[in-house]
Amino acid sequence: MTQLQINEVAPRDGFQVEATFVPTADKVRLIDALSATGLARIEATSFVSPKAIPHLRDATEVVAGIQRCQGVAITVLVPNVKGAERALACDVDEVNLVMSASDSHGLANLRMKPEQSLEQFAAIVQAVRAHPGGREVFINASLSTSFGCPFEGEVPEARVLELVEGQLALGVQGVTLCDTTGMANPAQVARLCGAAQARFPDTPFTLHFHNTRGMGLANALAAWQAGILRFDASLGGLGGCPYAPDATGNVCTEDLVHMFEQMGVPTGVDLDALLAASAMLPSLVGHDTPGQVVKAGKANRRYQMPPR
Ligand code: COA
Ligand code: ZN
């Protein structure tokens, strides 16, 4: 069975919305622990405006401080050319461009409608390709609100596919379909994943689910059944979009890995090491996390019979 590729997003999607700033040294310590677990990639931070997302103002220091490990791609979110240039100066493996599939969320999050974002993308792709650095930087693009917009409601599948086509035409190499506020359901996920892969068979698609309505794992399972092998997930289930009302965390990485490993689907991730990393989180963020397996233990946990 083909191994999954898990992209850990807690250092970006998680730490961007925490109530407090996670100190740079703690971010570096967590990312280094995650790098040793077998994850395919780690979204380490975002190079956005420090006024917009003050908790990730230390992006340069974080990327400079972490240990780079063979086989673990370091990816970072970038919203514009300025962000791309800051990221490229840190020698990242991948940039993750971001735009919304809906006008309202695009304006709330990035001050751009989708078509304006695509214009930005053209300039970012050009900046990445013109960069004289040694390594080839992979260009991924995330499409927020692909399964529905918290302001507008339904986002038509045809619109999502049109925007994916626009991204690919500019030289984007991989696309992440994001359920930004947990509006997706498994039937919808199966449909969109099927349609996207049928229309763009050479494009690696990643699925990014938030567990806002408790459907995160069900949606991930539906995506896998539709042929998807790449998933974003967040340690402890942290995360959320600061520009979407009542947004909550991503599907939890250790719960996702546990589910797939229990099913016999290889993830390449050492679940015990991942659980140990997850156990670091409460002291870093100052609160309990929504992760389940870190509290319950793995399904093979056994208990003493109560005394009669
Ligand atoms: N890195 C650092 N600073 C940046 C920047 C970047 N990538 N992009 C813009 N800035 C700075 C500008 O230098 C400017 O600073 P100044 O006021 O000191 O001159 C300020 O931010 C405003 O720049 P402008 O180009 O007018 O951007 P904007 O105000 O239209 O903001 C975004 C657009 C997208 C850059 C900004 O809203 C942003 O970074 N949003 C974050 C979105 C996000 O991360 N959402 C959650 C994840 S999906
Ligand atoms: Zn997200």
Side-chain angles (χ1 to χ4, degrees):
M1 214 180 291
T2 313
Q3 184 170 303
L4 302 183
Q5 290 189 37
I6 313 282
N7 178 32
E8 172 57 55
V9 301
R12 196 278 301 170
D13 211 332
F15 291 164
Q16 73 183 6
V17 286
E18 284 302 321
T20 54
F21 175 78
V22 177
T24 309
D26 287 342
K27 289 174 177 147
V28 168
R29 199 158 52 86
L30 182 75
I31 295 169
D32 285 347
L34 288 166
S35 286
T37 65
L39 289 158
R41 45 177 46 73
I42 300 175
E43 192 161 299
T45 185
S46 62
F47 287 89
V48 295
S49 160
K51 282 186 199 139
I53 309 282
H55 286 2
L56 301 182
R57 61 183 180 266
D58 57 356
T60 296
E61 292 76 15
V62 168
V63 179
I66 57 179
Q67 300 243 357
R68 304 297 280 272
C69 296
Q70 186 82 27
V72 185
I74 295 299
T75 180
V76 294
L77 186 137
V78 300
N80 54 17
V81 172
K82 179 164 187 176
E85 282 167 352
R86 290 174 59 211
L88 291 166
C90 300
D91 208 18
V92 297
D93 301 303
E94 177 173 323
V95 286
N96 185 22
L97 283 46
V98 60
M99 64 178 277
S100 290
S102 59
D103 290 3
S104 316
H105 185 261
L107 289 170
N109 190 29
L110 301 161
R111 300 185 215 268
M112 283 180 267
K113 289 186 181 180
E115 268 67 24
Q116 294 168 284
S117 282
L118 286 176
E119 279 171 29
Q120 276 284 330
F121 276 25
I124 299 174
V125 170
Q126 214 172 19
V128 173
R129 291 294 165 243
H131 184 72
R135 72 177 85 203
E136 163 107 359
V137 175
F138 188 86
I139 304 178
N140 192 75
S142 282
L143 191 54
S144 301
T145 65
S146 287
F147 295 90
C149 169
F151 308 110
E152 293 172 25
E154 191 198 345
V155 178
E157 188 178 293
R159 175 65 170 155
V160 174
L161 296 178
E162 178 192 20
L163 293 171
V164 170
E165 184 160 50
Q167 294 175 340
L168 297 176
L170 296 172
V172 165
Q173 294 160 293
V175 174
T176 303
L177 300 172
C178 302
D179 182 25
T180 309
T181 57
M183 291 171 70
N185 67 70
Q188 179 191 15
V189 168
R191 276 197 305 275
L192 184 56
C193 291
Q197 293 173 110
R199 181 141 154 204
F200 311 107
D202 300 328
T203 301
F205 281 97
T206 303
L207 269 290
H208 176 109
F209 293 115
H210 280 262
N211 199 34
T212 320
R213 294 179 175 82
M215 292 192 278
L217 280 184
N219 287 332
L221 182 61
W224 177 74
Q225 285 168 338
I228 296 294
L229 297 171
R230 296 159 60 110
F231 292 93
D232 282 0
S234 175
L235 196 72
L238 297 184
C241 175
Y243 299 98
D246 297 333
T248 56
N250 294 72
V251 67
C252 170
T253 313
E254 58 270 28
D255 294 357
L256 181 89
V257 167
H258 179 263
M259 176 184 80
F260 280 120
E261 292 287 343
Q262 287 289 311
M263 292 170 59
V265 180
T267 63
V269 178
D270 175 344
L271 182 53
D272 292 319
L274 195 64
L275 287 166
S278 181
M280 293 164 67
L281 283 178
S283 67
L284 262 52
V285 296
H287 60 81
D288 199 6
T289 68
Q292 304 271 333
V293 178
V294 75
K295 299 177 196 107
K298 297 186 284 186
N300 64 5
R301 179 175 176 184
R302 295 294 174 265
Y303 297 79
Q304 290 263 312
M305 285 279 285
R308 283 166 161 257

